[in-house]
Amino acid sequence: MRLEAMGVEFPVVHGHPNRLPFEGVLTLVDVASDKAPAGARGHRVVLTRTAAEAALPSLLGMAVDFKTSWDGHDARQKCGIITAAEIEGQKLQVSGYLFARDFPEMETQFRRSRDGLGMSYELADAHVADMRAQVWTLTKATFTGAAILLREKAAYRNTSCRLLPGWAGTRGGLRPVMAVGC
């Protein structure tokens, strides 16, 4: 098993009303997607380990977004930030913070969906080994962000996203948040 990891350390601010910690599996490396992602012209894709490792630094500081229908991406609906990324086995895992006070519907959706939320990456400068191939192999890319969406809508069904224990703000004040799985 190989592990590649990077992160940006943020200072701990106990009770911060706008930082809700999350973690998730953004994608799988060296595995074909279950369906074609947006922008792939109907092709399933494989993100190679080499491409993912080279692009790992581009994930740090990138935004997490969501669509109010939870079925895709909305790059203008920034609801959080990625502060760490690692590849463990075939899983490219990320963690960071959601802006809980700005987007209270995020926490509500996490609690409602339990096991049903996944993730999807956003890329730029992707290089495809053979554009004629049935499954496109991505040999180079730059991550520009990620989306949280219903797992069934993600190109990779084995992605996931969950809230981590921490503190979140609500309209009624601060209270502890327990881990909620997706």
Side-chain angles (χ1 to χ4, degrees):
M1 174 187 298
R2 281 178 49 187
L3 175 67
E4 300 284 332
M6 304 193 98
V8 176
E9 191 169 339
F10 278 68
V12 175
V13 181
H14 294 286
H16 195 295
N18 211 25
R19 277 193 196 171
L20 182 60
F22 80 93
E23 70 178 6
V25 175
L26 179 59
T27 192
L28 302 177
V29 298
D30 289 333
V31 175
S33 60
D34 296 303
K35 64 182 185 178
R41 302 183 196 158
H43 295 266
R44 292 172 45 222
V45 300
V46 173
L47 178 63
T48 64
R49 174 176 291 280
T50 302
E53 288 172 351
L56 211 55
S58 69
L59 267 171
L60 302 182
M62 288 296 99
V64 176
D65 63 63
F66 78 107
K67 218 172 151 181
T68 54
S69 56
W70 301 96
D71 63 354
H73 298 248
D74 184 349
R76 294 179 186 262
Q77 189 90 351
K78 310 286 192 203
C79 62
I81 185 171
I82 296 170
T83 60
E86 66 182 4
I87 299 171
E88 186 172 345
Q90 292 181 313
K91 296 177 180 178
L92 195 164
Q93 300 175 72
V94 295
S95 60
Y97 297 102
L98 300 177
F99 305 139
R101 186 179 177 119
D102 297 341
F103 296 95
E105 63 271 31
M106 294 294 299
E107 185 176 354
T108 301
Q109 184 65 31
F110 271 91
R111 295 194 182 289
R112 186 178 300 138
S113 296
R114 286 282 179 199
D115 295 329
L117 292 179
M119 297 191 81
S120 181
Y121 56 72
E122 296 165 354
L123 297 176
D125 305 324
H127 292 258
V128 177
D130 180 0
M131 297 285 287
R132 297 175 307 242
Q134 186 174 4
V135 176
W136 281 0
T137 300
L138 305 179
T139 59
K140 183 181 176 197
T142 301
F143 289 107
T144 59
I148 297 173
L149 67 169
L150 294 172
R151 185 179 291 151
E152 67 192 44
K153 300 296 183 179
Y156 287 86
R157 297 260 163 77
N158 286 327
T159 62
S160 62
C161 193
R162 72 184 193 111
L163 300 179
L164 296 176
W167 290 88
T170 63
R171 292 173 211 181
L174 295 176
R175 49 121 178 83
V177 174
M178 305 309 290
V180 177
C182 297

